[in-house]
Amino acid sequence: MSTGAGAASGTGTGRGGGTGTGTSGGSRERILARIRAAVADAPDAPEAARDYLETHTPDERVIDLLAENLADYRALVHRTDSEGLPTLIARLLAERGARTVLVPPLLPAFWLSALSSVGTDLIRVEDDPTATARELDVVDSVITGCALAIAETGTLVLDAAPDQGRRRITLVPDHHICVVRTADQVVGSVPQAMPLLDPTRPLTWISGPSATSDIELDRVEGVHGPRTLEVILLTE
Amino acid sequence: MSGTYLGMPAFPVAAKEAVGNETLRGNLRHATHTIRDKRAKAVAELDDWALLREAGKRIKDHTLRHLDRYLVRLEESVTAAGGVVHWAADADEANRIVAELVKATGETEVVKVKSMATQEIGLNEALEAEGISAYETDLAELIVQLGDDRPSHILVPAIHRNRGEIRDIFRDRMGAWGRPAPDGLSDTPGELAEAARLHLREKFLRAKVGISGANFMVAETGTLVVFESEGNGRMCLTLPETLISVVGIEKVVPSWRDLEVFLQTLPRSSTAERMNPYTSMWTGTHDADGPSTFHLVLLDNGRTNTLADEVGRQALRCIRCSACLNVCPVYERAGGHAYGSVYPGPIGAILSPQLRGIQSEIDASLPYASSLCGACYDVCPVAIDIPEVLVHLRERVADQGGKGHRLEKAAMKAAGWVFDHPRVMAAGERAASKTRRLHPSKLPGAGAWTDSRDLPELPPESFRDWWKKHHNDRKDTGT
């Protein structure tokens, strides 16, 4: 199809310590030739029909279902309006005992406008692209927005927009507060989410706090990601 | 993982050892029964499950039919997004490519996300031979690596260990690999998870090279996708400067929207969750966010051979959910190690002999490690007809061996093992009736005497079922 892409692969980088123009290039052609031979006589296989449901959830149920499914996987769910948001955030940080809070580059200013009301020693840490993982590891909490949320699966999707920041800032701290605007950021189902997401951005789908099923196939919350996930459902 | 699959005994020998191990059997029974009930509940939430399953099957079949086209498209997309694509015909080539990429960074240690492909090619051992330490970061993989053990399940490689055993491994072995386990560590899952968190965090924070596989690759966009639970995947995919992903060529899907099917079916089939806690999607490199260098190693290693088999190629639809392991009466009793492969259970019994060929005793015996009960097919989210492929592979084993051949003997012993376990057989008979149309009229591998006569047709229900029903009916009517 395109020999141009082939020429770029494995050879056009100038790094990688000579991973083998010869071997990699030769293997590319060999693998593609083997595939063509393998399926030469195979029956036609048309593209799949998308006759499954676009959603399983009526619109009026979407916000409540999101809250239920988030809670079912042990996220702590709060609801408030714009007026109540600053004090709710301040209260959650105070209850957590956070001394430092990490913020992405462009958080709406009013979200953090009540921090001073709960104590003067809470330090706001701006994400610095040069900050090392070790520096992030000493921060107590992080606050972000999200790209969207999916009710049926209890999922928040982050796309590293300026109100969410780099992927690592919602990973290394142990406490994540995520604000979801219910008016325009919640969809019912996964198929409804896909056209709204931009795959050229790095995407992180979060469904509850870090967990594992590796000990006797039983779900236990809290391994490497934030062990406490708080979700604020923000109404107008 | 220093355990090796080379020289593994054929299935029946290894299975016999496992059945004799009471702890192992108890661990497996507990875990598989827990998960299979939860899965049924998670699946029942979606009333279009059958349509999603059919769509998943068709997406995979369409992709495999045009695999050359979609791999070239993927290569273009990944390259355009700043990644570098390599092609590896076999395990040795893949290992060599990865080792050279790591060496070029000057680093001597890497952190790894759980990946079936890198286990399949023995990457950790290959890196170790080059002086590079590979640290597994998935909790179950960590348990396996610290215990100098072999994985026994696709999703939960340490499923054969219970919490007490895990506590002992952490207490005895963590110190030799890094931060020791906390004093007085108990066997509660929460404390064990905390011990893993502390042990691995120092490795994540200093890691410069991450190695992963991928659950899916999107040809249209160049996006790679990793499903995980713990956050170790996110650590490995975002903190290091260099990311190397080793992915089987069958993992590509054509379009972004194709993911919406598997995002619904994989978590429910796998961990029985509506969604796993974390799914990461990345497309090449992203400015100032995550690794600045991304290499994708596309792996064949027997996949094109599998693709050439018109019945067997459906095994390449597999999305590694492991639902088939959890419902299999043979797996439950024999355990994962008996399959002599990183791919155990029903899917392993059709995948390993195709990827590796059926020249060894273990691979020739695997198609017989089944009672053909069909439970695996029922739960498969991409509708792989595992019993059909098993029967087909039995024919291939028989054809290449001939009467009295050592491979035939290994195969017959595996079949004998299944026959010797009444509860396995009971499950098998029930479904053998349901899958009557699949059964060959000649018994493959049974030697010359069957050539002149057809097998009797399977009755619509087994004697066991008939007896039970009859018995119950009598009770019900009070006679």
Side-chain angles (χ1 to χ4, degrees), chain B residues 97-227:
Chain B
I97 291 169
V98 175
E100 286 178 13
L101 290 171
V102 176
K103 279 194 217 164
T105 67
E107 295 297 317
T108 55
E109 61 178 47
V110 301
V111 287
K112 280 189 69 201
V113 192
K114 178 179 176 319
S115 133
M116 297 307 298
T118 61
Q119 277 181 30
E120 175 192 320
I121 62 176
L123 178 65
N124 292 5
E125 293 77 6
L127 290 178
E128 198 182 331
E130 299 283 339
I132 299 160
S133 304
Y135 296 113
E136 293 291 351
T137 63
D138 170 76
L139 179 51
E141 293 279 11
L142 177 70
I143 295 163
V144 167
Q145 187 171 48
L146 293 177
D148 202 15
D149 201 352
R150 281 178 293 115
S152 66
H153 191 277
I154 290 174
L155 175 73
V156 192
I159 196 172
H160 57 291
R161 300 288 196 183
N162 63 32
R163 58 187 72 188
E165 294 173 280
I166 296 167
R167 191 262 323 270
D168 293 346
I169 290 168
F170 279 9
R171 197 185 49 202
D172 299 341
R173 302 301 307 274
M174 266 184 173
W177 287 78
R179 179 169 174 159
D183 288 337
L185 179 67
S186 84
D187 67 356
T188 60
E191 274 195 41
L192 296 172
E194 166 79 10
R197 177 186 170 96
L198 295 170
H199 177 79
L200 286 171
R201 184 144 290 230
E202 59 168 45
K203 293 189 165 53
F204 290 134
L205 296 183
R206 70 166 187 246
K208 295 281 186 277
V209 182
I211 295 181
S212 82
N215 296 91
F216 300 95
M217 309 183 280
V218 182
E220 173 187 42
T221 59
T223 307
L224 269 74
V225 186
V226 164
F227 289 63

Side-chain angles (χ1 to χ4, degrees), chain A residues 100-153:
Chain A
T100 46
V101 56
L102 193 58
V103 293
L106 267 181
L107 217 52
F110 80 94
W111 287 14
L112 299 178
S113 57
L115 289 195
S116 53
S117 70
V118 292
T120 49
D121 52 350
L122 184 68
I123 300 165
R124 181 182 154 140
V125 182
E126 311 287 336
D127 180 39
D128 172 356
T130 64
T132 64
R134 254 175 230 290
E135 286 163 340
L136 295 177
D137 194 35
V138 297
V139 177
D140 294 320
S141 303
V142 58
I143 301 178
T144 70
C146 67
L148 56 80
I150 305 169
E152 287 179 7
T153 55

Side-chain angles (χ1 to χ4, degrees), chain A residues 1-2 5-11 13 15-20 22-25 27-32 34-54 56 68-69 72-73 129 133-134 136-137 150-155 158 160 165-168 170-174 189-227, chain B residues 30-32 34-35 38 46-48 51-52 55 58-59 61-62 64-72 75-76 79 84-89 93 96-97 100-101 104 137-140 155-156 159 161-163 166 189-190 192-194 196-197 200-202 204-206 221 223 229-232 234-235 237-239 249 255-261 263-264 268 271-283 286 288-291 293 295 300 304-305 307-308 313 326:
Chain A
M1 200 182 211
S2 161
S9 79
T11 60
T13 63
R15 62 175 165 239
T19 48
T23 55
S24 201
S27 291
R28 177 185 190 276
E29 297 317 316
R30 197 156 70 244
I31 291 168
L32 290 173
R34 289 175 61 88
I35 290 169
R36 286 168 191 139
V39 299
D41 298 323
D44 190 34
E47 285 187 46
R50 300 193 192 278
D51 50 5
Y52 45 84
L53 299 177
E54 204 213 341
H56 307 80
E68 286 164 25
N69 285 339
D72 193 31
Y73 285 158
R134 254 175 230 290
L136 295 177
D137 194 35
I150 305 169
E152 287 179 7
T153 55
T155 302
L158 272 58
R166 300 183 301 157
R167 285 172 284 176
R168 60 176 59 192
T170 53
L171 171 64
V172 180
D174 204 15
S189 70
V190 173
Q192 289 174 332
M194 299 305 286
L196 303 177
L197 293 170
D198 176 0
T200 65
R201 308 188 65 87
L203 301 173
T204 305
W205 297 49
I206 299 173
S207 308
S210 159
T212 182
S213 300
D214 280 357
I215 301 166
E216 301 175 6
L217 266 174
D218 216 2
R219 182 171 166 134
V220 183
E221 278 75 27
V223 198
H224 306 295
R227 288 180 288 188
Chain B
H30 171 70
T32 56
T34 306
I35 194 80
K38 282 193 207 157
L46 301 182
D47 32 3
D48 59 340
L51 295 171
L52 286 166
R58 283 174 184 245
I59 289 167
D61 279 349
H62 171 75
L64 291 169
R65 180 65 185 79
H66 304 283
L67 189 56
D68 56 333
R69 191 212 297 174
Y70 288 120
L71 286 172
V72 170
E75 181 184 54
E76 289 169 358
T79 306
V84 183
V85 179
H86 310 260
W87 301 68
E93 188 176 14
R96 205 163 51 237
I97 291 169
E100 286 178 13
L101 290 171
T137 63
D138 170 76
L139 179 51
L155 175 73
V156 192
I159 196 172
R161 300 288 196 183
N162 63 32
R163 58 187 72 188
I166 296 167
L192 296 172
E194 166 79 10
R197 177 186 170 96
L200 286 171
R201 184 144 290 230
E202 59 168 45
F204 290 134
L205 296 183
R206 70 166 187 246
T221 59
T223 307
S229 295
E230 297 165 16
N232 64 306
R234 293 179 66 191
M235 292 277 181
L237 297 171
T238 54
L239 296 185
I249 53 175
S255 71
W256 170 246
R257 274 197 67 190
D258 292 330
L259 293 177
E260 72 194 24
V261 174
L263 280 160
Q264 294 185 82
R268 290 175 200 262
T271 47
E273 293 165 305
R274 291 182 198 100
M275 193 65 88
N276 48 299
Y278 298 131
T279 297
S280 292
M281 301 180 179
W282 73 99
T283 302
H286 300 279
D289 185 350
T293 305
H295 294 275
D300 180 346
T304 50
N305 286 339
L307 187 63
R313 64 168 65 111
N326 299 334

